[in-house]
Amino acid sequence: MNVRTLCLGVLTAGEASGYAIKKEIEEGLFSHFIDASFGSIYPALTQLAGEGLVTVRAEEQSGKPDKKVYAITPKGQGTLAQAVSVLPGRDKYKSQFLFQMLLQEYLTPPVMLAAVEKQLADLEADHARIRACECAEHPHAGARFVADYGQAVLTAAIAVLNEKKSELLRALRPQAAE
Amino acid sequence: MNVRTLCLGVLTAGEASGYAIKKEIEEGLFSHFIDASFGSIYPALTQLAGEGLVTVRAEEQSGKPDKKVYAITPKGQGTLAQAVSVLPGRDKYKSQFLFQMLLQEYLTPPVMLAAVEKQLADLEADHARIRACECAEHPHAGARFVADYGQAVLTAAIAVLNEKKSELLRALRPQAAE
DNA sequence: TGATGCATGTAATCCGTTACATGATTCA
DNA sequence: TGAATCATGTAACGGATTACATGCATCA
């Protein structure tokens, strides 16, 4: 899955500038399972336009620099449909956090607690973001699917982490309680 | 998190060759949240040895080429402890599958079903792999933590996916049932 | 006989991130 | 005044994957 296909995917929801596409990737449902920076989005868009998979239209703006608004073409939709119909590659999950937890014998308890709390905060932020997308509009089947999947996974992760955190706190101050 | 630190982490469980390290990364608990190929492991190990973070010992073998067995040094343990004590960066999750599902309007039902089934198979394989690690030995706290976390997340993912799959099948053949 | 496992290594290549460059507006 | 948002783009750099090179043993 490259940035070109990603841009085509975002553009199926309507025309947008490179800047808006990045925002959508960061704040929309895509954020749960994809990343992309300006350094890859802008060149991808230029390429896509060169191949006729998207159209460009310059929009003048007072003050701000001109906005380039991209829209997907029928040819682009064809290319996207093709790309998306390939059996998907395996999910890739990289977690520094779990690496730390696996090697927790090399950690001091406060450092470990801080890591757990950061992870919890990250997961909850992700969870909230997905919820926000759900309220936005009564969504189509695709959005429903991704939101349900993400929600389920994050809820489970948050639950275990909270348990682990309690265990950790209990171990740290056993003198407390009743 | 780079491959160098990863190698140090694997070596805390005991000495190993580059080949064995890759196997451990693929089959052990690491596999749930990290990837690495020979092309990055071998150079990393050479580098590590040059810096005195690991020792090397050549082991002769009849038939097969010599094995280079690496072991972590105290200095290496210090470096690892330091690397692991930094507040972890955010988890990175990339999923072609969820991208497809989000754009399912561009998919034919059979293609979508195939994708769901592949994902289900991948998740179940991952789940089984973690279970296998648990049985291996009564594990230390770190392994417990990662196994519990992985198990919880995967169980949740499998549950939603099975639901989604049923929905999909119901939609595909509504004429069936009672 | 052909695939798979053991075993190590290098080079080309890809894909993306980070940092830099530019600049107006708005909000605190 | 300084940060954040809007807005686009390029170049350097990094990190890892893929493919290639080599070679024996074992199992089907």
Side-chain angles (χ1 to χ4, degrees):
Chain A
M1 253 294 317
N2 52 10
V3 179
R4 297 170 78 252
T5 312
L6 173 58
C7 288
L8 290 177
V10 174
L11 289 174
T12 58
E15 50 170 40
S17 65
Y19 190 87
I21 288 175
K22 169 120 192 280
K23 242 191 125 186
E24 177 58 31
I25 292 170
E26 266 171 3
E27 292 167 18
L29 280 177
F30 289 98
S31 69
H32 181 54
F33 58 88
I34 265 179
D35 265 319
S37 60
F38 286 130
S40 56
I41 292 172
Y42 285 126
L45 250 15
T46 307
Q47 226 181 291
L48 251 21
E51 293 168 31
L53 305 179
V54 301
T55 57
V56 210
R57 167 171 60 82
E59 207 169 84
E60 290 173 54
Q61 297 193 128
S62 54
K64 289 163 220 165
D66 276 18
K67 197 195 283 188
K68 286 190 182 175
V69 179
Y70 295 88
I72 191 165
T73 63
K75 193 178 162 192
Q77 293 192 338
T79 303
L80 176 61
Q82 223 178 291
V84 107
S85 294
V86 175
L87 245 210
R90 223 184 157 94
D91 285 359
K92 270 160 205 166
Y93 174 58
K94 311 231 168 181
S95 178
Q96 251 176 271
F97 169 70
L98 287 181
F99 182 72
Q100 284 191 327
M101 293 304 109
L102 192 49
L103 297 170
Q104 58 187 246
E105 37 193 324
Y106 291 85
L107 257 40
T108 63
V111 168
M112 182 165 163
L113 186 61
V116 169
E117 266 160 2
K118 194 208 169 244
Q119 180 75 359
L120 216 36
D122 286 346
L123 292 171
E124 262 150 14
D126 212 5
H127 196 263
R129 201 155 359 89
I130 292 183
R131 231 170 352 194
C133 295
E134 279 191 292
C135 300
E137 316 109 62
H138 31 113
H140 55 282
R144 234 318 21 97
F145 193 112
V146 173
D148 287 350
Y149 191 97
Q151 213 93 58
V153 167
L154 289 169
T155 302
I158 290 169
V160 215
L161 254 202
N162 271 320
E163 242 178 80
K164 292 289 178 186
K165 186 184 161 189
S166 306
E167 272 176 45
L168 195 62
L169 289 175
R170 245 178 290 143
L172 278 176
R173 12 185 181 348
Q175 73 288 8
E178 67 230 77
Chain B
M1 253 296 314
N2 52 12
V3 178
R4 295 171 79 252
T5 312
L6 173 58
C7 288
L8 289 177
V10 174
L11 288 174
T12 59
E15 49 170 41
S17 65
Y19 191 88
I21 288 175
K22 168 117 192 282
K23 244 193 124 184
E24 178 57 31
I25 293 171
E26 267 171 1
E27 291 167 18
L29 280 178
F30 290 98
S31 69
H32 181 52
F33 58 88
I34 266 179
D35 264 320
S37 60
F38 285 131
S40 56
I41 292 171
Y42 284 125
L45 250 14
T46 307
Q47 226 180 293
L48 250 21
E51 293 168 31
L53 305 178
V54 302
T55 57
V56 210
R57 168 172 58 82
E59 207 169 82
E60 291 173 52
Q61 295 193 127
S62 52
K64 290 162 219 167
D66 276 17
K67 197 196 282 190
K68 285 191 183 177
V69 179
Y70 295 87
I72 192 166
T73 64
K75 193 178 162 190
Q77 292 192 339
T79 305
L80 176 61
Q82 223 178 292
V84 108
S85 294
V86 176
L87 248 210
R90 222 188 158 92
D91 286 359
K92 272 161 204 163
Y93 174 59
K94 312 233 167 177
S95 177
Q96 250 176 272
F97 170 69
L98 287 181
F99 183 72
Q100 284 191 328
M101 293 305 109
L102 192 49
L103 298 169
Q104 58 188 247
E105 38 193 321
Y106 290 86
L107 257 41
T108 63
V111 167
M112 182 167 163
L113 186 61
V116 169
E117 267 161 0
K118 194 207 170 245
Q119 180 75 358
L120 217 35
D122 285 347
L123 291 171
E124 262 151 14
D126 211 5
H127 197 262
R129 200 156 356 90
I130 292 183
R131 232 171 350 195
C133 294
E134 279 191 290
C135 301
E137 316 108 60
H138 32 113
H140 55 283
R144 242 296 42 89
F145 193 114
V146 173
D148 286 351
Y149 191 97
Q151 212 94 58
V153 167
L154 290 169
T155 302
I158 289 169
V160 215
L161 255 202
N162 272 320
E163 242 178 78
K164 293 288 179 188
K165 187 184 161 188
S166 306
E167 273 176 45
L168 194 65
L169 290 175
R170 245 177 293 143
L172 278 176
R173 12 187 183 344
Q175 71 289 7
E178 69 231 76

